[in-house]
Structure formats: structure tokens, C-alpha cells
Amino acid sequence: MSKPIIAIVGRPNVGKSTLFNKIIGERRSIVEDTPGVTRDRIYGESEWCGRKFILIDTGGIEPKTDSMILQKMREQAQIAIDTADAIIFMCDINAGLVADDRDIAIMLKKSGKPVVICVNKADKIGEVDPTFYEFYELGFDIDPVPVSSIHGTGSGDLLDAILATVPQNDDEEEEEDLINVAVIGKPNAGKSSIINKILGTDRLIVSSMAGTTRDAIDSRFENEFGKYNFIDTAGIRRQSKVEDRIEKFSVLRAHMAVERADVCLLVVDATEGVTEQDEKIAGIAHEAGKAVIIIVNKWDLLPTEDKDTVKYSKKVYEALSYMTYAPIIYVSALTGQRVVKIFDMINYVFNQSKTRISTGMLNDVLNEAVTRVQPPSDKGRRLKVYYMTQTSVAPPTFVLFCNSAALFHFSYQRYIENCLRDTFGFKGTPIKLVIRQRGDDEETKI
């Protein structure tokens, strides 16, 4: 049996994200005293008393609103409710029982799912605020649980209560061979739309308003190609345009998403081409040593005379001169054109990033390269490259031992890298060379 899924729902600004972060033990949801900060569903995994489960944080539910974003948040919360095995209904003891709580309770009762009311902000240890008893009026079968999400008090009782409502998962299946894929790019390039097309459902909020996706959103997906976890990130803006604190959190989340990814999909708007901001975003993935696929989206919007993939690819690689190893796929998230090809390429570049070459084969290539192009010299002293060995993967990392690191110029390092690519491929993944001088601990990397 798979892990039980528990959704946290409630009005905006009652402390859902704080509780979520406390339970999963990391700051994955953005926590800010602003209603509507968590817009999409945020997934996290945790364990309590030997029980593993998946926790979903949702955007606050506004039962009656004319705001487009708030309506979308309510839709996402409803999807989380439909997906969940059990629901934590969070209320605020300081606000007391309000009309919106009653409306949400009606929605939850219609779902037929087990519900435990979490009365948050009960910060006084050892005391029960008389307001707490108001929440019994909502009429759920399980007693409400007082909790302080900031301090964590009462969270154990809450987890005991909610996990008692779902079946024991003794033979839980662990997911193996899962590839984490971060979808990165500037705002409105079509990142969420591509994931929605892949999943075949409106998994993420899609809007033409820049900055809609503020957190990094995880979406597990399995098909005939394999198992994937797609991480949709907030569009990374120019630093000068990162104005409010929440936007800064979003940029940080995008960096964190890249760090935990195996493969990055860099989404570029075909109608705009590679912009300066795209170059900076690509640099984040390159510096992190991640396998990268360049996804040129909105290809269907280009005039027919401009749909020359050879010429367009040349322009892309001219702008991203440090990332010519990355394959390019031309897609349309709107029509689904060539989206299915992304899976094969993800698998391919992932395997390329994990490639390990024997020391014997590496040194055969190295000896041939040195014979073909003599190492550089300076003031009568010539560079001698003794041997090379691979030390790690993802990205493939190689240590070259030589007589002088100072003589191992960047141009010759790039030549060695190109020889490795010509022989072994390494398509889609950066390569790192570590130059080590014999008898010297100093290292030089590219």
C-alpha cells in the first residue's frame, strides 16, 4: 500500500504552512504573514511513530470570493481534498469560530474524508482557552486538537489522531529509480503549462500574471518511460525586479529546486529567444553541475518562415556558449507538440550524467589527445599530463595529474573536455576537470 496522503486545509493565514514545515522538518512552504502566500499544493514526506505519510499544504480557502487567484487557490485546495486520505482542518483560536470556518466544514463533510480539526495558535502551555470549545460546534466525529504550529506543541497528538483514521501501511512500496526534474525559466515562459500537459491535468495554477507560482511544487508522475518528480519553480526575475520579500523567497526556492534536481528543463520562450535573464538562469543549473535540457516553448506561435530549428539552435548556443552540451527540444505546451519527447531525453541525459569511465579507457583518450595536440609551454617549461581518473558522477568529474597547474591553461582544459565528449558523449551534462599538481594540494576546476 502506498503512503497515506494527508491534506492541511483552512482559511488563509491560520498557520497551515508553519505546521507543514514543522511536521516535515524543513522550510519547504513559504511562511509569511500575508494571506494567499501558498497558492498551489505543496507536497512533503514525513514519518511519525514508524508511519510514513505524504503531507499536502494548500492555499487558504476563501469560500466566497471574486478574486481570480483566490478562486484558483480554492480549486487547488479542493483537488488536494479529493486526493487526500484524511484532512487536517486548521482554524485559529485567536479569531475564534468564524463564518468561513463553517463554510469550509460543509465542504469537508461533503468530501466524506476523515477530518481532524487543528485549533492553531493555542500557545499557552497547560491552559485551554475557552474559545477552543467553540470548534466542537462544527460537528465532526473526532475531537479538535489544540496546537501551536510555531512551537510544535500538540503536533504529536494531532498526528496520532489523523493517522488513526487511515489504514496501516505495513508493506509500503519505496519508489526507486525516481528522477527529480526541476523546470526552470523566467516568468511566463510556460513552465507550469508544460508540466500540466505532461501530467494531463491542471496540476498547477496557470495564469498570465507573472509570479503566479511562488513555491517549488513537486509532482510525482509515472508512465512507460519511468518514474519522475517534476519540480515547478517560481519564474526567476531580474534581481532589480525582485521587490517584495515573498518574491525573494521564490528565487531562493528556485535555487533550492535546482540543487535537489537530477535534471533541469530550461524553458525558453520561442517568441523572445534567449534573453539575458535566461542566460543567468541557465548559469544556475550549469554551476550546480546539473544535467540540462533546453525546452524552447511556444514554437507554434512563430511565423512559418522563422521555424528553422538549425538557425534557431545556433542562436541559442551563441547566447549559451557555456552550455552547448545541452540538447534542445522545440515544443508547444498549448498543443502538446513534441512534449512526449521530453521523457526520452530526460532519461538519456540523466544516464549520461551518471556515466562512469574506467581509468584505462580515460588514459587511452588522454594519451591520444596529448599526441595530437602538444601541451602548452611557457619560458621553456612544457606542461606534462601524467594521467587522469574519474572521481565522481552527476556531474562526471575527472582529476588530471600534471607537473604544473599554472601551465594547464583553460584552452587546453577545454580541448581535453572536448576529446572526452567526442569519445564518450556526455550529452546534456556538464563536465568538471580538477587539475592537480603532483606534490601540491592546490586544485583548479572548470
Side-chain angles (χ1 to χ4, degrees):
M1 183 182 295
S2 59
K3 303 180 185 74
I5 299 173
I6 298 169
I8 306 175
V9 301
R11 294 183 294 107
N13 207 31
V14 294
K16 298 184 297 298
S17 295
T18 303
L19 178 67
F20 175 88
N21 290 337
K22 181 68 68 173
I23 291 175
I24 68 168
E26 58 179 287
R27 289 178 61 85
R28 184 173 300 177
S29 275
I30 295 175
V31 179
E32 183 78 2
D33 190 20
T34 307
V37 169
T38 305
R39 293 174 174 176
D40 293 295
R41 290 160 284 152
I42 314 296
Y43 287 71
E45 295 185 13
S46 190
E47 183 175 354
W48 178 252
C49 295
R51 299 284 307 277
K52 293 182 179 180
F53 59 92
I54 296 172
L55 194 65
I56 309 176
D57 184 20
T58 64
I61 300 175
E62 290 276 11
K64 300 169 184 176
T65 178
D66 295 326
S67 167
M68 183 186 73
I69 285 291
L70 289 175
Q71 287 176 354
K72 286 280 191 178
M73 287 164 56
R74 181 181 177 182
E75 291 173 10
Q76 291 294 320
Q78 183 63 59
I79 293 172
I81 292 168
D82 295 340
T83 305
D85 298 302
I87 298 160
I88 295 174
F89 176 20
M90 181 169 276
C91 302
D92 183 345
I93 198 168
N94 293 331
L97 183 60
V98 299
D100 281 352
D101 290 330
R102 297 182 188 275
D103 290 339
I104 294 170
I106 293 171
M107 181 192 303
L108 295 179
K109 287 177 181 176
K110 288 180 180 178
S111 74
K113 303 293 177 68
V115 176
V116 175
I117 300 173
C118 169
V119 184
N120 192 31
K121 304 181 184 178
D123 299 331
K124 295 180 180 179
I125 300 175
E127 296 182 30
V128 179
D129 191 311
T131 307
F132 171 77
Y133 297 101
E134 294 179 2
F135 296 95
Y136 280 89
E137 295 179 25
L138 294 174
F140 288 101
D141 295 333
I142 303 170
D143 289 343
V145 179
V147 167
S148 170
S149 59
I150 291 179
H151 303 297
T153 55
S155 58
D157 293 336
L158 178 66
L159 291 175
D160 285 340
I162 197 69
L163 288 172
T165 67
V166 294
Q168 183 76 32
N169 51 340
D170 295 327
D171 54 347
E172 177 182 303
E173 180 184 350
E174 294 292 337
E175 289 199 83
E176 297 178 354
D177 303 321
L178 182 75
I179 302 177
N180 289 295
V181 184
V183 186
I184 60 176
K186 64 179 185 293
N188 290 336
K191 300 180 300 300
S192 297
S193 297
I194 286 175
I195 295 181
N196 285 344
K197 181 61 67 173
I198 287 172
L199 300 178
T201 180
D202 288 336
R203 167 64 181 79
L204 305 167
I205 293 174
V206 179
S207 167
S208 60
M209 297 169 56
T212 300
T213 305
R214 292 186 170 186
D215 278 292
I217 317 298
D218 286 23
S219 297
R220 296 291 180 92
F221 184 70
E222 182 177 352
N223 61 9
E224 66 271 24
F225 298 98
K227 297 178 181 179
Y228 308 91
N229 179 38
F230 287 96
I231 310 166
D232 183 42
T233 59
I236 310 173
R237 302 165 183 257
R238 292 176 181 272
Q239 197 62 32
S240 59
K241 293 186 178 179
V242 181
E243 296 172 355
D244 62 14
R245 291 183 62 204
I246 296 172
E247 192 70 29
K248 290 179 181 178
F249 276 126
S250 298
V251 174
L252 177 61
R253 289 293 186 274
H255 281 268
M256 292 170 62
V258 169
E259 285 297 328
R260 62 190 182 94
D262 300 305
V263 177
C264 292
L265 303 184
L266 173 64
V267 182
V268 174
D269 187 330
T271 63
E272 297 182 10
V274 177
T275 65
E276 182 183 350
Q277 186 65 2
D278 289 319
E279 294 176 30
K280 292 180 180 178
I281 295 168
I284 294 172
H286 177 76
E287 290 299 320
K290 303 299 180 177
V292 176
I293 303 168
I294 300 170
I295 307 294
V296 179
N297 188 30
K298 306 181 185 179
W299 189 245
D300 57 311
L301 299 183
L302 287 185
T304 303
E305 60 271 18
D306 292 338
K307 290 183 179 179
D308 187 325
T309 57
V310 175
K311 290 182 179 178
Y312 203 101
S313 296
K314 184 178 179 181
K315 290 181 180 178
V316 170
Y317 289 136
E318 284 175 354
L320 303 176
S321 57
Y322 54 86
M323 197 175 275
T324 55
Y325 56 81
I328 302 175
I329 303 178
Y330 294 88
V331 309
S332 167
L334 183 63
T335 66
Q337 181 184 25
R338 285 187 288 274
V339 169
V340 72
K341 292 187 176 182
I342 294 175
F343 292 107
D344 269 335
M345 191 57 72
I346 288 172
N347 293 345
Y348 181 68
V349 301
F350 174 75
N351 290 328
Q352 289 282 291
S353 72
K354 297 286 188 178
T355 299
R356 188 174 288 276
I357 310 298
S358 70
T359 300
M361 293 179 67
L362 284 175
N363 286 284
D364 286 344
V365 173
L366 178 63
N367 291 334
E368 184 179 342
V370 170
T371 300
R372 190 184 311 127
V373 177
Q374 286 291 309
S377 62
D378 184 45
K379 296 179 182 179
R381 190 182 184 203
R382 183 170 295 278
L383 171 68
K384 293 180 181 179
V385 186
Y386 300 120
Y387 68 97
M388 173 169 53
T389 187
Q390 185 173 0
T391 55
S392 63
V393 297
T397 303
F398 305 92
V399 177
L400 292 94
F401 293 85
C402 64
N403 63 331
S404 172
L407 289 174
F408 214 133
H409 301 157
F410 173 79
S411 59
Y412 202 71
Q413 293 180 34
R414 182 52 52 89
Y415 164 67
I416 296 296
E417 177 184 334
N418 289 337
C419 289
L420 291 172
R421 290 190 182 280
D422 290 342
T423 306
F424 303 112
F426 296 118
K427 186 73 172 177
T429 180
I431 290 176
K432 288 194 175 181
L433 300 185
V434 179
I435 310 304
R436 183 166 295 169
Q437 184 173 309
R438 269 192 176 173
D440 193 341
D441 291 334
E442 292 185 3
E443 296 178 1
T444 306
K445 300 180 183 179
I446 63 167

